[in-house]
Amino acid sequence: MKRTSITFIISVFLTFLITFQGNTQSFKLEDVKGYPFPTNLIASATGAKIAWSFDEQGKRNIYVAEGPDFKPRKLTNYNTDDGQEISSLSISADGKWLVFIRGGDHGSNWDDAAPVNVNSAPQAPKVQIHAISFDGSKQLALGEGENPIISPKSDVILFTKSGQAWTAAIDGSTPAKQLFTARGTTSELKWSPDGAAIAFVSNRQSHSFIGIYVDQKTPIKWIDPSFYRDRSPRWSPDGNAVAFVRTAGAGGAPDAILIPKHQPWSIWNGDVNTGKAFQVWKAPETLAGSPPRTHGGTNLHWAANNRIVFLSSHDGWPHLYSVPTSGGNALSLSPGNFMAEHITLSPDKKWLYFSANTGKDKKDIDRRHIARVTVDKAAVEVLSSGTNMEWTPVLTGDSKHIAFITAIGQQPPLPALVAIDQATKLDKNLKVLSTENIPVTFPTNKLTAPEQVIFKAPDGVTIHAQLFKGQGKASKKPAIVYIHGGPSRQMLLGWNYSEYYTNAYALNQYLASQGFTVLSVNYRLGIGYGYDFHSAKNGGSAGASEYQDIKAAGEWLASQKDIDPARIGVYGGSYGGYLTNMALAKDSKLFAAGVSIHGLGDMTIGRRNRNALMDRYEKVPDLEQAQKVAWQSSPNAFLDTWKSPVLIIHGDDDRNVEFSQSTDIYKRLVEKGILTEAMVIVDDTHHWMKYENVMKVNQATAEFFIKHLKK
């Protein structure tokens, strides 16, 4: 009888335990962060070869696949978490070689080509250009440098080093050497279609030129040199002309800081033989007619049918346009309330493929799908749909397949492809690659599907957000507002195409599993909702109008029946760290605790050097007012009302936000007696190049909120 009772009690307990674990959907942080993250997806110019890089818990390697079966194959063998990124991946035209950069922190605001030494080694790693054969039998370090591009003949590469053009044999048969010398800084090297000439940009500070190099005996030819800044050279298919973008040169009377002003730009067509050029198209002289500030900038391409294609936001959204190479009116190729992003031109130059936040579902504005349009007709086809997401499309050189990155439901992003003749039914016909790279411990079925939330800011601006509902049975849950950085970013209803923000998505999933309801806010100044939202009035140092979106998000959470309004936290990185500091400084009554990751405290630092032109007699007309507004847009101006505890985290090799921003605000808070914890990540950058450091930051963030917000 006693044995039966004990057995019954144990059985009930185990049932309760299993049920409890199932309800809470609990998993370890290292499980949800164990996914591989794909970047650098590319395709060969001929044939059916694709390549990409995987970051697998800090071990970054190149993978390749080839038609018809496209079976993935690991090509490199970097098997330590050493913080060395892979970037600038490309495949030679003959498909025999891959070229890439290993090292640096590309995507930083400064020093992106400087070595990253996350392990504090006495001898820092080098930032080097590598070549590896497609079969993996041979790998070479070709030298230190940046921006490698392979000749159409597949025999040599061009790259930049110390602001000059260099070259090296792709097979290592001859050493790297400087190709030519030009005053200023040489960048944007472009091979002519036949590989016989090179177009480049020569930046000379107040102005820049488009140059054409042929050989050591022929003087460099300059295309229509002027007092402007010329950039983005693009060759015509026959190699006789170069299209380029022209913007204003330096000079003129100092402008007011607080008054937005149109930045003029235009597209030009230059004759390589005569050096003469003419204007093809000029952007409207409106604020929205300024150069686009989304992925790829103007995305200039010389397309088929004598068309030049580009991106512009002058109608209120980042849209694709094409114009005759002879000049004329621009044809809008992608009208509608959505943005075009990750744009690529097909091998035959007749189609533009891109990712877009549009589709059959209204919620697609918070997703990404693959779309395409011909270069001479406004007839966009959205090829994918549903809750899955896709981005960065590329076409194989034989024009038979589209490759892209996809995230299906809560499965992490992976490379995928679909046959062109099945593209209109992409969702049913796609082939996902490398599913075997997802660790068996990854909690795919335990992750929550974020829900779309829409609310209004106090001034009436519509704000989108994603809600991660906290797991567990508590009737009143703690909550957290997550703030992305940038600010030119958009968090999505699923995994993000940025590795940095995919990390945040995984952390939000983990926080939800721990019982926190998380609201990820797409505040104004972000992308995805049109020009006016992206370029919001009085934003940033001109008034921080975007902060009211963060406060509104906290108040929205506080109004929910299942949220404890006394236990709402806030966290974010970079610009999100700045807005976290603003939230804690201005509204500690609403935000009970926060984690500020490499955020700013003072928006006035550096402004005088950048904007005041102190060495001139003429002064910026609204300098004093702009300085005052910038200070009032800074968290440091409101420290007297900061009461909530905070954890400040920063890597001291940050190349996006000065480390001194955190040392400054930390000292101020300690002196005021605010409960302030700190974590310094030595020798790592803004992007947490070492996986071990990512885990430290995520774990510290979660533990801080558990300590301060959970009963």
Side-chain angles (χ1 to χ4, degrees), residues 188 190 199-201 208-212 222-226 228-236 241-247 265-272 275-282 298 300-302 308-310 323 325:
E188 297 194 64
K190 299 290 181 183
F200 65 96
V201 174
S208 61
F209 301 142
I210 302 296
I212 305 294
W222 304 105
I223 305 297
D224 193 31
S226 69
Y228 293 88
R229 288 191 172 109
D230 296 338
R231 56 186 174 88
S232 305
R234 302 291 186 267
W235 286 94
S236 63
V242 171
F244 60 92
V245 171
R246 174 164 285 180
T247 59
W265 69 286
S266 54
I267 298 172
W268 288 64
N269 185 342
D271 188 298
V272 171
K276 295 181 179 180
F278 61 91
Q279 182 174 286
V280 172
W281 179 83
K282 181 181 179 182
T298 58
L300 191 70
H301 293 280
W302 195 301
I308 294 173
V309 296
F310 61 95
V323 64
T325 56

Side-chain angles (χ1 to χ4, degrees), residues 642 646 648 665-674 676:
W642 187 322
V646 64
I648 298 176
I665 199 169
Y666 175 81
K667 183 177 181 181
R668 292 171 186 261
L669 291 170
V670 170
E671 289 175 348
K672 286 184 173 294
I674 305 302
T676 307

Side-chain angles (χ1 to χ4, degrees), residues 2 28 56 77 157 161 171 196 211 426 466 526 530 664 697 700:
K2 289 182 179 179
K28 296 178 181 178
E56 298 175 272
N77 289 289
I157 66 164
K161 181 179 179 180
D171 62 0
L426 184 151
Q466 298 84 44
D664 174 69
V697 171

